DNA sequence: GACGCGTGGTG
DNA sequence: TCACCAAGCGT
């Protein structure tokens, strides 16, 4: 250890732990999202988190407001029919989420007396609630200190800590990586969990990162290494046109609009190819997104 | 662990 | 224009 004055770390922003810097940045840079308002109850947070799984914020916001106004508690949603929630889900995409969210509401009502649990393992036991969402609800909904790792967080850690351009696939060590950066204070740790996600969503983005706006750029391992390119295999982009996903979407579109069961013929315009149309209809039946009436017509499950 | 699952905005 | 992208989950 040197005794020279220059060896003594100077107090100042650049000496703050990374986690504290990110939390301070969040205070001035965070988006004003309704589910982040203080007093948002855990159920409302849970609904927002499920809707935000793979769906952008801008499309979630209006639907989230409608849902919370209509079904302000798990018990309220548990009393709704699948058809109602599928219609209310609208075009958020991946409508199985709507079904699972309703099933989660049923389970919360039955097993937890209508109270959204705060424990991660109890949350993970609910339909449609995985590693990310369980921790997000515990942290953002109940104010528990939790490591919360989504695709944004993995990307931030990959760059900031590991000096890599892109995140590796999710792994258990992700939780340890981010835990090591979290502030000591519990309230700030909760803030930190949402702040890292926000940093990844607004600054450390997947496309062209906005490093000039980054509060921790002076200690980013990726930047300090000269922005080395991603060396792993390129990730495959999912096609959409012509896939079963598109066909399922078209079929469900017809059934959402219809308020009584429709004849099979009414589904032909949705997709001309009979083989693929039939296959997709079957998969929708298997998923419980569609039911067939005794007279052979199709409808949303009431 | 790779794959399937919707939709619409964007550079 | 069109590939890419957006707070994952279940199998």
């Amino acid at each position: 250890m040197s005794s020279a004055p220059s060896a003594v770390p100077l107090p100042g922003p650049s000496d703050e732990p990374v986690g504290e810097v990110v939390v301070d940045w969040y205070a001035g840079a965070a988006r004003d999202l309704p589910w982040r308002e203080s007093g948002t109850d855990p159920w409302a947070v849970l609904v927002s988190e499920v809707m935000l799984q793979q769906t952008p914020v801008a499309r979630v916001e209006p639907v989230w407001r409608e849902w919370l106004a209509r079904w302000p508690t798990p018990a309220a949603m548990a009393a709704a029919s699948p058809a109602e929630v599928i219609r209310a889900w609208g075009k958020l995409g991946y409508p199985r989420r709507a079904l699972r969210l309703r099933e989660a509401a049923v389970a919360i009502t039955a097993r937890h007396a209508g109270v959204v649990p705060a424990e991660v393992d109890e949350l993970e036991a609910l339909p449609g609630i995985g590693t990310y969402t369980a921790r997000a609800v515990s942290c953002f909904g109940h104010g528990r200190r939790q490591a919360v790792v989504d695709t944004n967080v993995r990307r931030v850690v990959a760059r900031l800590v590991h000096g890599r351009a892109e995140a590796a696939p999710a792994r258990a060590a992700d939780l340890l990586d981010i835990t090591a950066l979290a502030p000591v204070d519990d309230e700030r740790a909760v803030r930190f969990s949402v702040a890292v996600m926000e940093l990844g969503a607004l600054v450390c983005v997947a496309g062209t990162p906005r490093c000039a706006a980054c509060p921790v750029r002076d200690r980013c391992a990726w930047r300090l290494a000269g922005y080395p390119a991603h060396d792993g295999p390129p990730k495959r982009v999912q096609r959409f046109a012509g896939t079963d996903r598109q066909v399922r979407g078209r079929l469900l579109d017809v059934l959402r609009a219809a308020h009584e069961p429709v004849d099979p013929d009414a589904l032909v315009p949705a997709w001309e190819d009979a083989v693929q149309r039939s296959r997709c209809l079957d998969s929708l039946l298997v998923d419980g997104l569609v039911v067939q009436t005794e007279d052979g017509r199709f409808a949303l499950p009431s």
Side-chain angles (χ1 to χ4, degrees), chain A residues 274-296:
Chain A
V275 172
Q276 190 174 16
R277 188 176 65 246
S278 173
R279 179 174 71 237
C280 291
L281 204 45
D282 279 345
S283 74
L284 288 169
L285 290 164
V286 168
D287 286 347
L289 285 164
V290 173
V291 294
Q292 190 164 23
T293 59
E294 286 184 12
D295 59 1

Side-chain angles (χ1 to χ4, degrees), chain A residues 13 21 31-32 38 97 129 136 161 193 217 234 272 282-283 295:
Chain A
V21 175
R31 289 168 293 179
D32 190 18
S38 67
R97 289 182 291 165
I129 308 298
V161 178
S193 287
R217 63 184 177 281
E272 294 290 343
D282 279 345
S283 74
D295 59 1

Side-chain angles (χ1 to χ4, degrees), chain A residues 21-34:
Chain A
V21 175
V22 174
V23 171
D24 290 343
W25 166 84
Y26 180 81
R31 289 168 293 179
D32 190 18
L33 302 177

Side-chain angles (χ1 to χ4, degrees), chain A residues 163-235:
Chain A
R164 292 188 273 98
E166 292 180 23
R171 57 199 171 83
D174 292 335
L175 290 176
L176 300 179
D177 285 344
I178 201 65
T179 298
L181 300 181
V184 175
D185 178 77
D186 281 349
E187 279 188 30
R188 286 182 68 83
V190 169
R191 208 75 170 161
F192 173 74
S193 287
V194 68
V196 179
M197 290 175 58
E198 193 75 341
L199 187 64
L202 299 182
V203 176
C204 196
V205 295
T208 307
R210 302 208 275 268
C211 300
C214 181
V216 291
R217 63 184 177 281
D218 61 337
R219 65 193 89 185
C220 174
W222 187 45
R223 179 171 175 270
L224 293 173
Y227 298 115
H230 176 62
D231 59 356
K235 49 185 172 184

